[in-house]
Amino acid sequence: MDNFYGLATRTSAAKQSAAGPHVTFPENAPAPSRAAKQEVLLAAHGVEKSYRKGKHVVPVLLGVDFEIADGEFVAIVGQSGSGKSTLLHLLGTLDAPDSGEIHFEGGRIDNLPTSSRDLLRNQYFGMIFQFYHLLPELSALENVLIPNMIADGTFRYWRNRRQYRERAEHLLELVGLSHRLKHKPRELSGGEMQRAAIARALIAEPQVLLADEPTGNLDSKTGEEIMEILRTLNADQNLTIVMVTHDAAIASQADRIVRLAEGRVQAA
Amino acid sequence: MYKLLLSWRYLRTRYIALASIISVTLGVATLIVVNSVMAGFTKEMHNRLHSILSDIVLESHSLDGFADPQWHMEQIRQVCGDDIAGMTPVIHVPALLRIPFRGDFHTRQINLIGVDKTTYAEVSDFSQYLLHPENQSRVSFLLRESGYAPGRKDFPPSGWEHRRMQAMYEKALEEQRHEIAAAAKSDASLATNNRPPADPYAAGVPKDPYSGSGESELAGTIFDPATEQNTGVILGIATCSIRGRDADGEVRDFYLCRPGDDVQVYFPNAGSSPKPVSCSLTVVDLYESKMSEYDASFAFMPIEKLQELRGMFDPLTNTTYVTSIQMKLKPGADLNAVRDKLRAAFPADQYPYRIETWRDLQGPLLAAVQMETTILNILLFLIIAVAGFGILATFFMIVVEKTRDIGILKALGAPSRGVMSIFLSYGVSLGAVGSGVGLVLGLLFVTNINDIAGWLEWITGHEVFDPTVYYFQEIPTSIQPTMVVGVMVGSVLVAVLASVLPALRAARLHPVAALRYE
Ligand SMILES: Nc1ncnc2c1ncn2[C@@H]1O[C@H](COP(=O)(O)OP(=O)(O)OP(=O)(O)O)[C@@H](O)[C@H]1O
Ligand SMILES: [Mg+2]
């Protein structure tokens, strides 16, 4: 029912109204599609990707196959340069594979038109990065609200700004940052920035959280706190999480570990 | 929404970009100031030229003029009488003006104009530029008692008041000369009597020495300058005055002659072999249009007298001759249409006339001013264009600096168009801020331009706007809304154009490349 393809085939006006339900975040009621556990949510089929550097072709992924079930917490591990970030970007439609397919909710997404992929990233995927990637000119609260601003036109956003703001404040409270709403990123510590980034990733009520080394730049204690938040999200809200990491201790907290080496998924 | 928010934040946090639009600000301010001043000059000049020249002139090619102006005016009335508000016959003739001054003659080349005093004032604003208030409402070629140029401090006493005084002085001087001559003859000592007569003004204005005295009986037989005047003439103020500075640097006019004085005028008479005719005229008023070209060359006298002197009156047939007919149109009449109708009515192969509007007559001058304005506009707009390149460079820097943020926005689902419009609206707002500040500065400058000129004068000790050169007391300005809007639109457009390339680059950035950028 709450299917991306259903949305994508509607008119753009319908898309706008489809964004409406996000305003009232059903806190504890899981989304209908999540009710069916073990259903494959996100999958990579024979994904290949190589970078071209002048005459050199750098093969990074040589046929990656794996599936992520709805509600699963997957950790992708591998050596530096093994293509973990590349794979995550492909899963999140930030980049297109040379060959192979990415599937989301059973449909292929890597060949969708740009506008549909923009909508997908805005509404269905949440992303977290190693270097937090907050916008330096905006306060923590405004950073969290950016996906809403992107989704809505100016007028629509203005009409809904109170509900959005309430929800953003609620999310910031959830990640433990309610005392830093008005602070700019440079006035925040690394852990605090990552909390804000998580709140931003959650504001559009995504189906999947894609995290690229979310603890990579933090000390172990702060990293542990961030992991706590992610685990809670996964457990309480049944949020599907795909996390890239170096750290074996961090990876072990996930439901499943996918090891990437020599461009392929290795048996764990 | 994020577009507005971000471009607003970029605007507020990036002062380097504000620095890059200072040149836009300055360009806009200068454009507004220059255009307003040029428009002020043009407008002032148009007004003056127009009011001096009347609307349409029908002019003979020959100095001898054409016969029977009444018939011509009748014809004109038939052709386009509905549009004509007034007509007057005029004679133009080049002449020499000789002003006696301290025993010398100052000679000036003038354009002597014979006018009909009642109708001429109807077709042009001629009378408004006269100095005597009564002449302004009703032109007269008779000398007035006094009261010329009220409110003008350094204007010397004029009119009959001055003429009587002058006559008395001359008379006293003459008597003294006689005495000296007599004394020299009788070999008496010269020393005691060898001094000029006392300045009559020192004793205050005396009563008319001739009123009621028996000497007035002589009037009519011998010309008595104290009670009689020659035919009146109205001189352009610059033909008989010298504008300069006194020791304190104040601008002052020095008058070689003034209303009440007699001058001589020479001009050719009409006919197959013109000979110079001379006559003595009495200055009855001065003409100050503040167009130095006219003030320095015009002299007006009654047309009948000029016709008589030049032989442009045939007593046998009672026909008169004039050199041109000036017309004033009713408000709203189409200048060029009337001119063309008249040209059709007086075809060039039958009538050797030149029929032109005041715009045609002043075409070269108006075109020169127009051209000057255009060139200045082009040059100044180049400044803004240069500023555009500054914005371009700054924007490229900002886009490079913001590469990662662009990647983030795209990762969060912002479409390329959205990213592009961030930088475009940033460019628009920069341009708007820059030209807005420029607008305010420019308007402030224009409205206070004379104060600023005075202030600069005070600081540098140099005259910024020299009234001896321009015959304007102040710098004339006129703020044209269309010009202001045009300048604003143009400069904002430059800012937008300058931000298009960087914005396109931002929109094209690959999100992954942008995210990896450190
Ligand atoms: N734009 C590019 N051009 C050429 N090569 C690239 C480009 N981006 C990535 N690579 C190469 O692709 C390989 C995989 O990069 P990727 O960032 O996916 O590795 P990673 O597993 O995330 O490493 P790390 O753990 O250090 O983050 C690397 O060898 C990298 O050099
Ligand atoms: Mg990586």
Side-chain angles (χ1 to χ4, degrees):
Chain A
M1 220 194 125
D2 189 9
N3 183 305
F4 173 71
Y5 301 97
L7 291 178
T9 49
R10 287 183 216 151
T11 63
S12 62
K15 265 185 224 164
Q16 289 286 333
S17 65
H22 296 293
V23 176
T24 51
F25 184 46
E27 198 50 55
N28 295 312
S33 65
R34 281 172 203 156
K37 227 181 158 132
Q38 301 311 318
E39 191 182 289
V40 172
L41 184 67
L42 195 58
H45 297 306
V47 167
E48 292 178 18
K49 180 78 184 173
S50 53
Y51 289 106
R52 202 170 291 276
K53 195 90 189 164
K55 276 185 207 155
H56 291 275
V57 177
V58 185
V60 179
L61 301 178
L62 305 165
V64 172
D65 281 291
F66 81 114
E67 292 181 343
I68 298 153
D70 194 9
E72 207 178 5
F73 190 164
V74 179
I76 300 176
V77 297
Q79 283 189 325
S80 186
S82 56
K84 305 183 294 293
S85 298
T86 305
L87 178 60
L88 203 71
H89 293 150
L90 292 175
L91 289 174
T93 70
L94 278 172
D95 210 348
D98 295 340
S99 65
E101 296 177 1
I102 309 290
H103 287 248
F104 176 67
E105 289 186 333
R108 189 172 172 191
I109 57 170
D110 58 282
N111 61 352
L112 285 175
T114 320
S115 58
S116 309
R117 282 188 285 142
D118 287 340
L119 186 67
L120 198 60
R121 286 201 299 278
N122 185 245
Q123 307 273 309
Y124 295 83
F125 293 152
M127 292 197 199
I128 312 174
F129 307 94
Q130 178 179 357
F131 296 102
Y132 330 119
H133 287 346
L134 297 176
L135 298 177
E137 278 83 12
L138 306 183
S139 69
L141 187 65
E142 288 163 339
N143 263 294
V144 174
L145 284 167
I146 277 286
N148 280 337
M149 296 188 198
I150 291 173
D152 288 5
T154 304
F155 179 65
R156 201 186 153 82
Y157 177 83
W158 191 252
R159 251 190 2 213
N160 294 330
R161 69 191 184 285
R162 287 222 177 72
Q163 305 160 51
Y164 287 152
R165 200 191 144 98
E166 249 165 52
R167 183 168 151 70
E169 281 172 3
H170 171 79
L171 282 171
L172 281 165
E173 199 183 315
L174 204 75
V175 298
L177 208 63
S178 48
H179 57 302
R180 292 278 188 271
L181 299 184
K182 292 265 180 286
H183 287 237
K184 295 278 163 65
R186 68 177 123 72
E187 297 155 358
L188 297 173
S189 72
E192 285 167 336
M193 281 194 270
Q194 199 59 292
R195 286 163 203 263
I198 293 173
R200 178 179 68 187
L202 295 175
I203 186 94
E205 212 189 332
Q207 308 249 0
V208 189
L209 197 61
L210 302 172
D212 193 352
E213 303 193 38
T215 60
N217 230 28
L218 303 173
D219 60 62
S220 56
K221 186 174 166 294
T222 321
E224 197 46 55
E225 285 167 14
I226 296 294
M227 280 309 293
E228 182 65 39
I229 294 170
L230 293 184
R231 274 208 315 276
T232 318
L233 283 169
N234 177 249
D236 293 359
Q237 295 177 32
N238 205 21
L239 184 64
T240 312
I241 299 178
V242 183
M243 179 182 69
V244 166
T245 183
H246 271 124
D247 190 326
I250 296 282
S252 65
Q253 299 182 28
D255 298 346
R256 181 158 67 98
I257 295 177
V258 174
R259 190 170 302 277
L260 212 57
E262 287 157 14
R264 285 174 216 280
V265 175
Q266 307 292 304
Chain B
M1 183 67 197
Y2 65 106
K3 306 162 203 163
L4 295 179
L5 182 67
L6 283 173
S7 48
W8 171 240
R9 284 294 154 83
Y10 290 169
L11 196 64
R12 277 195 31 205
T13 53
R14 235 139 285 266
Y15 291 109
I16 178 82
L18 284 179
S20 82
I21 55 157
I22 286 176
S23 32
V24 173
T25 303
L26 291 179
V28 166
T30 354
L31 264 176
I32 287 177
V33 170
V34 164
N35 273 305
S36 297
V37 171
M38 291 303 271
F41 262 104
T42 313
K43 203 169 148 190
E44 193 83 346
M45 244 170 51
H46 269 232
N47 281 346
R48 286 187 184 173
L49 288 176
H50 189 191
S51 56
I52 291 164
L53 290 175
S54 73
D55 287 325
I56 294 186
V57 179
L58 182 149
E59 195 177 9
S60 115
H61 288 300
S62 134
L63 260 188
D64 298 346
F66 50 83
D68 209 354
Q70 297 310 324
W71 178 83
H72 283 87
M73 291 189 332
E74 208 47 53
Q75 291 295 308
I76 292 170
R77 231 176 266 289
Q78 274 174 22
V79 173
C80 47
D82 294 344
D83 290 330
I84 303 281
M87 277 188 277
T88 187
V90 173
I91 296 175
H92 280 265
V93 60
L96 279 184
L97 172 70
R98 288 187 5 124
I99 303 170
F101 185 74
R102 298 224 176 108
D104 255 345
F105 281 99
H106 286 245
T107 307
R108 300 286 173 93
Q109 193 181 331
I110 56 165
N111 188 358
L112 188 62
I113 304 169
V115 298
D116 180 66
K117 69 179 188 235
T118 47
T119 54
Y120 192 69
E122 283 167 18
V123 301
S124 78
D125 292 344
F126 156 73
S127 61
Q128 280 174 25
Y129 300 126
L130 301 180
L131 296 188
H132 199 284
E134 284 175 44
N135 279 345
Q136 283 172 14
S137 51
R138 211 163 58 84
V139 182
S140 162
F141 280 104
L142 294 177
L143 190 60
R144 308 257 178 196
E145 175 61 30
S146 62
Y148 286 90
R152 202 174 291 207
K153 274 201 303 327
D154 57 351
F155 196 77
S158 312
W160 278 114
E161 194 181 277
H162 163 70
R163 192 170 171 84
R164 280 194 298 271
M165 197 75 72
Q166 187 68 24
M168 208 168 83
Y169 176 75
E170 303 260 320
K171 196 157 176 268
L173 197 66
E174 190 62 25
E175 273 168 13
Q176 204 164 40
R177 254 194 225 115
H178 278 298
E179 265 173 44
I180 292 167
K185 243 183 217 165
S186 65
D187 229 1
S189 95
L190 293 171
T192 47
N193 285 326
N194 190 13
R195 56 192 147 81
D199 183 353
Y201 284 124
V205 179
K207 291 218 318 282
D208 181 355
Y210 305 99
S211 59
S213 81
E215 278 172 287
S216 57
E217 288 158 19
L218 287 171
T221 50
I222 303 168
F223 181 77
D224 177 10
T227 53
E228 292 174 79
Q229 69 163 92
N230 297 305
T231 305
V233 66
I234 295 171
L235 294 180
I237 195 159
T239 59
C240 62
S241 71
I242 298 163
R243 177 163 281 194
R245 287 170 193 286
D246 62 11
D248 301 332
E250 289 292 315
V251 175
R252 234 175 241 291
D253 290 313
F254 179 73
Y255 296 90
L256 295 172
C257 70
R258 43 182 135 155
D261 285 330
D262 284 345
V263 294
Q264 288 179 350
V265 178
Y266 295 80
F267 45 84
N269 67 358
S272 49
S273 57
K275 283 179 246 344
V277 178
S278 85
C279 69
S280 260
L281 301 172
T282 299
V283 180
V284 295
D285 207 340
L286 300 181
Y287 168 86
E288 185 175 27
S289 67
K290 301 208 166 138
M291 284 296 296
S292 55
E293 187 193 334
Y294 298 129
D295 287 350
S297 71
F298 279 179
F300 303 89
M301 68 179 286
I303 189 167
E304 303 83 14
K305 184 72 181 172
L306 191 57
Q307 277 167 337
E308 182 194 316
L309 290 169
R310 291 197 67 214
M312 294 173 82
F313 173 67
D314 187 348
L316 290 177
T317 55
N318 239 352
T319 35
T320 53
Y321 291 77
V322 297
T323 60
S324 59
I325 292 175
Q326 294 190 5
M327 282 157 260
K328 188 182 179 66
L329 301 190
K330 291 191 174 134
D334 184 349
L335 209 56
N336 290 342
V338 173
R339 176 197 60 193
D340 294 340
K341 264 195 236 171
L342 287 177
R343 281 185 180 167
F346 297 98
D349 49 354
Q350 287 176 41
Y351 300 91
Y353 304 151
R354 204 161 48 217
I355 301 173
E356 267 160 349
T357 68
W358 68 277
R359 276 180 205 280
D360 300 335
L361 287 172
Q362 287 303 326
L365 180 59
L366 298 181
V369 172
Q370 192 56 47
M371 173 120 110
E372 227 170 285
T373 313
T374 312
I375 288 177
L376 270 172
N377 267 306
I378 292 172
L379 289 181
L380 288 172
F381 207 80
L382 280 182
I383 294 182
I384 296 186
V386 169
F389 283 100
I391 296 178
L392 188 82
T394 317
F395 263 53
F396 261 116
M397 268 169 55
I398 291 175
V399 167
V400 168
E401 189 195 326
K402 290 279 148 214
T403 299
R404 223 190 50 187
D405 296 18
I406 293 164
I408 298 166
L409 286 169
K410 290 194 163 175
L412 295 175
S416 295
R417 240 178 322 111
V419 172
M420 181 163 160
S421 56
I422 291 176
F423 289 92
L424 276 186
S425 52
Y426 185 27
V428 172
S429 35
L430 267 184
V433 168
S435 45
V437 174
L439 173 75
V440 171
L441 281 183
L443 291 184
L444 278 180
F445 197 103
V446 168
T447 44
N448 298 309
I449 192 160
N450 286 299
D451 294 339
I452 293 170
W455 185 70
L456 278 178
E457 222 161 275
W458 185 74
I459 295 220
T460 59
H462 276 286
E463 184 104 29
V464 176
F465 185 81
D466 192 343
T468 61
V469 177
Y470 291 100
Y471 268 88
F472 288 128
Q473 295 307 319
E474 300 201 307
I475 305 173
T477 57
S478 158
I479 298 168
Q480 246 107 24
T482 46
M483 176 274 293
V484 172
V485 170
V487 168
M488 296 295 284
V489 168
S491 54
V492 172
L493 208 66
V494 164
V496 172
L497 284 180
S499 50
V500 162
L501 276 182
L504 269 177
R505 189 195 137 101
R508 293 247 174 87
L509 271 179
H510 195 279
V512 171
L515 281 174
R516 285 184 192 267
Y517 179 86
E518 257 330 302

